Every structure is written in C-alpha cells, then in structure tokens.
Amino acid sequence: MKLYSIPLKNKLITLLFLFTGILQLSAQNDFTMESIRAYPFPGGLTSSADGNKIAWVFNKEGLRNIYVAEAPDFKAKKLTNYSADDGQDLTSVSVSADGKWVVYLRGGEHGSNWDDEVTINPHSLPETPKVEMWSIPFAGGEPILLGNGAGPVISPTSDKVAYVKDKQIWVTPINESEKGEKIFSMRGSNSSPVWSPDGNKLAFVSSRGDRAFIGIYESPEKGIVWAGPDFDRDFSPRWSPDSKKLVFVRRPGGGGEPETAVDLHHSAWKIMLYDTESDKTKMLWEAPKTLAGSLPRTHGGTNLHWAGGRIVFLSYHDGWPHLYSMTEAGGEPLLLTPGDFMAEYISLSPDGKTLVFSGNTGPDEHDIDRRHIVKVSVDKADMKVITPGAGNEWAPLVVDGGKSVICIAATAQLPPLPAILPANGGTIKRLAEEEVNADFPTKHLVTPEQVIFKSDDGLSIHGTVFNNKKIKGKKPAIVYIHGGPPRQMLLGWHYSSYYTNAYAVNQYLANQGFIVLSVNYRLGIGYGYDFHYPPHTGPRGGEEYKDVVAAGEWLAEQEEVDPQKIGVYGGSYGGYLTAMALGRDSRLFSVGVDIHGVHDRTINRTSDVLYPDSYERASDAEYAVDVAWKSSPIAYVDGWTSPVLIIHGDDDRNVPFSQSTDLVQRLRKKGVPMETLVIVDDSHHFMIHSNQLKVNNATVEYLLKHLKK
C-alpha cells in the first residue's frame, strides 16, 4: 500500500470537506419520529345500503374512534369518544340499511393468523379487556353494549344483528343491551352469517374439518336447510336479489393421495348455484386446472358478488387478478378488466350496475407501483381509471345516488385520509384534514423513486428509493424488506396500517441521511401470477432471498452510497429475510434489525411431511424437509458476523415468539453482537402506539449507531 504526503493546505481543505460532509449527514433533523407517526390512519371505510351515509375508524396515536359523514357534503363527525391508547382495536364497522345505526367490534387482534378474536391485553392489566360488540346511533349518543361475539352483520331490516359466538350463530336486537340469543346449536364451527335481502333468512358456513357446508336458517320450525352438501369445502355464500338463490365457492374436501411437498400444485375451485325453491344445486363455472387458475389469494379472495342478474368474481387464471362476470345461468365469463394489473378492494354500487376497485394501473408508466380507483360496468368491459396521477387511492365506495365515489387517498407527502370525487373522475377532496396534526412534516418528506434492477437469475425486481437529495456526500444505505410476503410497497403512503408505519420509518431514515431501498421481492403482489407464486421460494428453497441480495448489490453500486455501510431491516417475513441476509451475507449487510421474523422453516412442517397420521406420505418428504432447513436462517448462523437487533412482542399471533427465542440462544452461543427488545403482552401489530414508537426508535437508533459512527 502506498503512503502519500499531503501538503498542510490540502490537509486543511480535506478535513474541512470531511467535516462539512459529516455535518451534512448528521445535522439533518427536520422532524421527529413522534411527529411523523402522529397521522390519523383511516380504516374500515363502509356505507349504508344507499350510499348516503358512511363510517370509518381513525387510529390517531393509539386513540381509535369511529367517524361518520353523510351526503351531500360528507363533513366528518367524530361519533365515539375513546380517549386512551389502550390497544383495543375497532373493526367490523357497518352502517344499517336505514342509516340510523353503526355497529362495530371492540377488542381482539384482527389481521392475525390465529386467535384474532381472542382478547388482547397489551397494558398487562390485572383484568383482561373483553372483545365486545357495540351499536351507536348514527346521529350520536351513547354506545350500546350488544354483548360478546364476533363478525356482526346487520339485518337488511336494520333492527337486528347476527354474529358468531362459541362457534354458533346468534342474533341480537340492534338497540338493546346484551339481549343476544343463540338461534340454533349445530355441529362444527359455524361462521360467516349472511342475511338474505328480504331479511328473512341467514346463510352461514359450517366448517367440519375436512369439509364445510352452506347452511340456511329461516325459523325454528323449518330448521337448517343444507345447500347441496358434498365431500367438499363450501364458503362465501351470496344471495340473489330476490332471496331465492345462493351462489357460493366450492373447493375439494380434505384427503386424497399425498402430493409432492416441494412442488406447486393447482388449488381447484368452482362457483356453485343453489335454488332454495327447487333444492337443486348446479355448477356455474369451474376454474381452469392450471397453477394460475388456482383459488385467488389476493384481497377479498374470489370477491364473489351477485350483481342484478349477473355473477361477478375475481380470478387469476389469465395471469393477473382480474374481474369477470357471467349470467346466473353460467357459461363463459366476460373479462371486465383486461390488462397487466391487479384489482383489489372491490365493491359493488348500490344499484348493482357498477364495480369500483383499486388497481395498479393508469396512464403513467410508474402506476404499476401505485393504486388508483377504477370503475367498470358489471356487464361490459368499459373500465376507466378515475383517479390518475401521482397519488394512491383505495377502498372505494359508490355513494350519493351514484354521483360520487368515496375512497381513501394519499400521496408521497400527504398521509391517508377519506376523500370524495365525482363518480366519473375529477378533483379529489380530502375529508377530515383537520385531524392531521399541524406539525406533521409534509414539506420535509421525500418523493420515493421507482427503480428496477435484475436479480441474479434475470428476474426484474421493482423497488422504491427514499433519498433526501438535500443531504450531500457518501451515505449509509438500508434495504427495507416488507412482510407478508404477498404485499407490494408503493410510491407513496400505503393502504395497510402496518406499512404506513414502515413508510414513516423509511421517510425518517431518509431525513437522517440514509438512502433506503424498499425491495418488492418475488412472492409479492402487483406483478402477476408468476411473480406472486414462483417455484423454489419460502420453505421450498428460499429463492426470494436472491432479490434481497440484488437490492443490496444495487445500493453498493450507487455513487452516493458507502458500500461498507449497508444495513437491512424488516418485519415478519421481512424479518425472516433480514435474518437470511445477515446469516448468508454479513459482508454485504453490515448490520440488521430483525422484527418478529421467522427463523426455522421446518417447525410445523417436519411432522406433517415426514410423519403424517397415515401410512402414505409425500414421495419427496425427506427432500422437502431438507430444503426447508436450508431455507431457514438458523442454518446459516455459522456465517453470521454482523450485529443485529432482535425485536418481538410476546403475544404475537402471526409469528410464534419462540422463533426469536431460539435464534437468540444460537447467536448468544456463537458470540454474535446482538441487542434485543421484547414487548411484553403486545402483538405482531404493536397495538399500543407508544410500543410502536419504542420499536421504531429502537430500530433507527440501532442503525444510526452502527452505520453513521
């Protein structure tokens, strides 16, 4: 190595330049984590049957309350008055058909993989909170406790509510406290009640292990009528407008010869019609027996609707999640939404003639990484993007007699809020803007940029880059990895509360002088079936990790990035891939934050594959378990040298806390530099706002400590 003698004058200039660069990187502090996390996140947007009255939930710094508005001005009004950051979620919000009542569920951990209707106690209170159903007059007043239960559904007659309790269907008056009655006692786990339009019957799903039936209840005298029961799993019952017929989805029942465990297989499904008067069942349509023809698993699943005389549904069989419709006689369905994009958050107009949805399409080439509102008729492919532009819009509803659409809208700088616009497109008016804090740092937020790079097998990978270009000099960089994995990060604020938080953290990191690359790795939505369901991923090979490496290498090649200071962080599936990055590529990723990640892909898989409770097993059983082990971060602990912060809530109902406990013991034994943060009694979604802030600040401080020292 050569040594150079630098003249004193040049030394001073060099030191001044370095000092200035350090100041530029470290002095930036335009806003706090607390201020950027003070937005009121809206969710559960819903409307009355005629679309004249709407309701939604605002979660503002942990204070969750229901807001309402009505035509024609749709001025927001706060309806409830919960005043504590207590972690009790508000979900299942609905407005009665007559617009006089709002019903909601308070408590539980909805959005989890298990026990979502079980109470949560994140403050470790001596007396555990309950999961309760409430009603409240739309005009205002005191909430009425309807009782304990889940999945409340208001009758079309607006006077009663059906719900699920103890695996049975119950009904209660909408305006009386704790008067619920079980309407029958039936075997199995009974759920998903659906009222007939005339309010006289209830359809429901009775799950019984390897099969599930659609039941219909009308009165104690008539008992339960079963809609064409077979050796299958039936679900998603939908009534015809005249209350005489049902359509539903049918999947094969359990059993059959074991399939290979590593390969992907077609998941069959059909649309069935049941006539209550003739007691006859027939198949209307069967999905193509291809991988892409498998049961869709994007938002809303099959999104089955009965629209006038037509049946509307979503299918992936042409390679994209598209909407189709057919007559109630069946036959070849009509493709309503052609093009290379996905449809989600789908709703039907009150008159049954129009569908509105959120799609990643529009006139701009970057729209594949956005969401816009699209409308289409139920009987012809006349779709129109009604919110083009650089924003993101989702959860649309046709309101005000079909004249307007309500949705939730955001941009790169403006956080999500309910908004209204003309039904055929036009200016978007944001509602309840007064709920956004005055010190919200809108003017300091960067606009993420789309980048596309290649993984090592040639697959094109999309990412969004956060870079505060006012800060000059070489910068440390971060790869952010989303969870799911069926998610897509966007060029702006996100429609998921979990990822609005991640977006805020990435904006904060950019403000602190980091370049952040949020990578949309394979297994995510938004780029077609083959990208969403690639082979050799997850426990079948973990090939999605290639895209994380490609993201790190892309950053290392950027002129502004210090290649020796690239970190990685993510939560859930993103935590899994963070741990993979640190175990397999510590030389590329010098530090990481692993938030409730999965670390052993053989758990809950080995016994099912190797030792099923039957004579037969998959022909590739031993190979499958070996592949699952090699797809696990703990298989690479010997190569793990980079420091890591491991965070987990111990009432996690998406990823077992034991996944992190196990990893911590292994890293301790190896002597890997490590810090930990346990959030006692909180969940995967950190229901307490102060806990989410604690996690965010710990994440940022750890990355700052290791990458900007």
Side-chain angles (χ1 to χ4, degrees), residues 117 150-153 162-165 167-170 184 189-195 202-207 213-215 234-239 246:
E117 294 169 0
V153 182
Y163 60 99
V164 179
K165 181 179 178 181
K167 300 182 180 181
Q168 303 294 337
I169 307 298
W170 295 55
F184 56 75
S189 179
N190 302 286
S191 63
S192 307
V194 182
W195 292 98
L202 266 175
F204 64 95
V205 177
S206 184
S207 298
F213 307 136
I214 303 294
D234 298 339
F235 61 99
S236 294
R238 301 290 185 266
W239 286 100
L246 276 173

Side-chain angles (χ1 to χ4, degrees), residues 102-115:
V102 175
V103 171
Y104 60 97
L105 194 66
R106 188 166 192 265
E109 215 283 281
H110 300 273
S112 60
N113 292 340
W114 63 86
D115 290 344

Side-chain angles (χ1 to χ4, degrees), residues 287-363:
K289 295 176 181 174
T290 62
L291 285 178
S294 297
L295 185 75
R297 299 189 183 278
T298 51
H299 182 266
T302 60
N303 285 276
L304 192 61
H305 291 82
W306 200 308
R310 299 187 71 82
I311 312 301
V312 176
F313 63 96
L314 181 140
S315 178
Y316 228 145
H317 66 261
D318 74 349
W320 292 86
H322 283 156
L323 286 167
Y324 296 80
S325 78
M326 59 185 171
T327 69
E328 62 182 58
E332 186 66 24
L334 169 67
L335 172 61
L336 299 175
T337 57
D340 293 347
F341 67 92
M342 70 177 296
E344 58 180 358
Y345 287 91
I346 297 152
S347 68
L348 182 66
S349 63
D351 64 8
K353 297 179 179 179
T354 304
L355 293 158
V356 287
F357 62 92
S358 182
N360 58 333
T361 185

Side-chain angles (χ1 to χ4, degrees), residues 474-489:
K474 287 282 188 181
K475 302 180 184 181
I478 302 290
V479 174
Y480 168 70
I481 314 173
H482 68 75
R487 305 284 185 270
Q488 182 187 23
M489 300 301 98

Side-chain angles (χ1 to χ4, degrees), residues 93-364:
V93 180
S94 57
V95 182
S96 62
D98 63 8
K100 294 180 179 180
W101 293 93
V102 175
V103 171
Y104 60 97
L105 194 66
R106 188 166 192 265
E109 215 283 281
H110 300 273
S112 60
N113 292 340
W114 63 86
D115 290 344
D116 58 345
E117 294 169 0
V118 175
T119 186
I120 184 168
N121 186 18
H123 276 304
S124 306
L125 300 174
E127 185 173 343
T128 303
K130 297 178 181 179
V131 180
E132 298 172 326
M133 296 181 305
W134 296 81
S135 67
I136 185 171
F138 189 94
E142 289 300 314
I144 299 170
L145 175 60
L146 299 181
N148 304 122
V153 182
I154 305 174
S155 165
T157 56
S158 301
D159 59 344
K160 51 187 177 288
V161 178
Y163 60 99
V164 179
K165 181 179 178 181
D166 301 328
K167 300 182 180 181
Q168 303 294 337
I169 307 298
W170 295 55
V171 172
T172 183
I174 199 169
N175 60 351
E176 295 184 62
S177 181
E178 302 190 82
K179 296 290 186 181
E181 293 184 352
K182 182 168 52 177
I183 59 175
F184 56 75
S185 293
M186 195 57 52
R187 293 173 55 234
S189 179
N190 302 286
S191 63
S192 307
V194 182
W195 292 98
S196 59
D198 62 12
N200 293 327
K201 306 183 197 71
L202 266 175
F204 64 95
V205 177
S206 184
S207 298
R208 303 184 176 187
D210 61 356
R211 73 274 187 201
F213 307 136
I214 303 294
I216 300 171
Y217 173 84
E218 185 171 357
S219 68
E221 295 75 26
K222 294 186 178 181
I224 305 296
V225 175
W226 299 105
D230 210 332
F231 294 88
D232 295 298
R233 292 187 172 111
D234 298 339
F235 61 99
S236 294
R238 301 290 185 266
W239 286 100
S240 61
D242 63 5
S243 302
K244 295 179 179 180
K245 297 175 183 177
L246 276 173
V247 288
F248 58 91
V249 178
R250 171 164 285 175
R251 296 184 60 204
E257 181 181 350
E259 296 179 312
T260 54
V262 171
D263 300 321
L264 299 174
H265 301 280
H266 171 65
S267 175
W269 64 288
K270 308 172 183 178
I271 297 177
M272 310 293 294
L273 182 143
Y274 174 73
D275 189 318
T276 63
E277 294 185 329
S278 67
D279 192 32
K280 300 292 185 182
T281 306
K282 69 174 183 178
M283 185 183 74
L284 296 182
W285 181 78
E286 183 175 14
K289 295 176 181 174
T290 62
L291 285 178
S294 297
L295 185 75
R297 299 189 183 278
T298 51
H299 182 266
T302 60
N303 285 276
L304 192 61
H305 291 82
W306 200 308
R310 299 187 71 82
I311 312 301
V312 176
F313 63 96
L314 181 140
S315 178
Y316 228 145
H317 66 261
D318 74 349
W320 292 86
H322 283 156
L323 286 167
Y324 296 80
S325 78
M326 59 185 171
T327 69
E328 62 182 58
E332 186 66 24
L334 169 67
L335 172 61
L336 299 175
T337 57
D340 293 347
F341 67 92
M342 70 177 296
E344 58 180 358
Y345 287 91
I346 297 152
S347 68
L348 182 66
S349 63
D351 64 8
K353 297 179 179 179
T354 304
L355 293 158
V356 287
F357 62 92
S358 182
N360 58 333
T361 185
D364 189 276

Side-chain angles (χ1 to χ4, degrees), residues 453-614:
F453 50 89
K454 297 286 187 181
S455 199
D456 76 348
D457 57 1
L459 186 65
S460 293
I461 306 300
H462 286 230
T464 56
V465 174
F466 299 76
N467 183 12
N468 188 338
K469 296 181 180 179
K470 295 178 182 178
I471 304 174
K472 306 299 182 182
K474 287 282 188 181
K475 302 180 184 181
I478 302 290
V479 174
Y480 168 70
I481 314 173
H482 68 75
R487 305 284 185 270
Q488 182 187 23
M489 300 301 98
L490 307 177
L491 294 168
W493 288 89
H494 202 273
Y495 52 83
S496 159
S497 61
Y498 189 98
Y499 295 110
T500 54
N501 178 74
Y503 185 84
V505 173
N506 289 338
Q507 285 280 2
Y508 186 80
L509 286 167
N511 187 255
Q512 293 293 309
F514 290 92
I515 294 177
V516 183
L517 171 56
S518 177
V519 54
N520 281 323
Y521 56 91
R522 71 190 77 186
L523 285 176
I525 59 173
Y527 308 108
Y529 183 87
D530 292 337
F531 194 92
H532 188 181
Y533 291 102
H536 314 305
T537 52
R540 296 181 172 91
E543 286 196 356
E544 66 274 27
Y545 174 63
K546 293 179 178 180
D547 309 335
V548 175
V549 175
E553 291 176 341
W554 183 89
L555 281 172
E557 294 170 356
Q558 304 310 302
E559 187 175 333
E560 286 182 273
V561 172
D562 183 342
Q564 303 304 312
K565 293 187 175 183
I566 298 176
V568 59
Y569 91 99
S572 197
Y573 209 93
Y576 157 65
L577 289 172
T578 293
M580 287 287 276
L582 300 175
R584 294 179 61 173
D585 286 286
S586 275
R587 283 186 291 182
L588 176 59
F589 300 105
S590 59
V591 64
V593 180
D594 171 356
I595 306 170
H596 43 231
V598 177
H599 308 119
D600 186 348
R601 302 306 298 263
T602 68
I603 290 177
N604 296 325
R605 185 176 177 86
T606 306
S607 59
D608 293 342
V609 174
L610 287 178
Y611 311 109
D613 189 19
S614 64

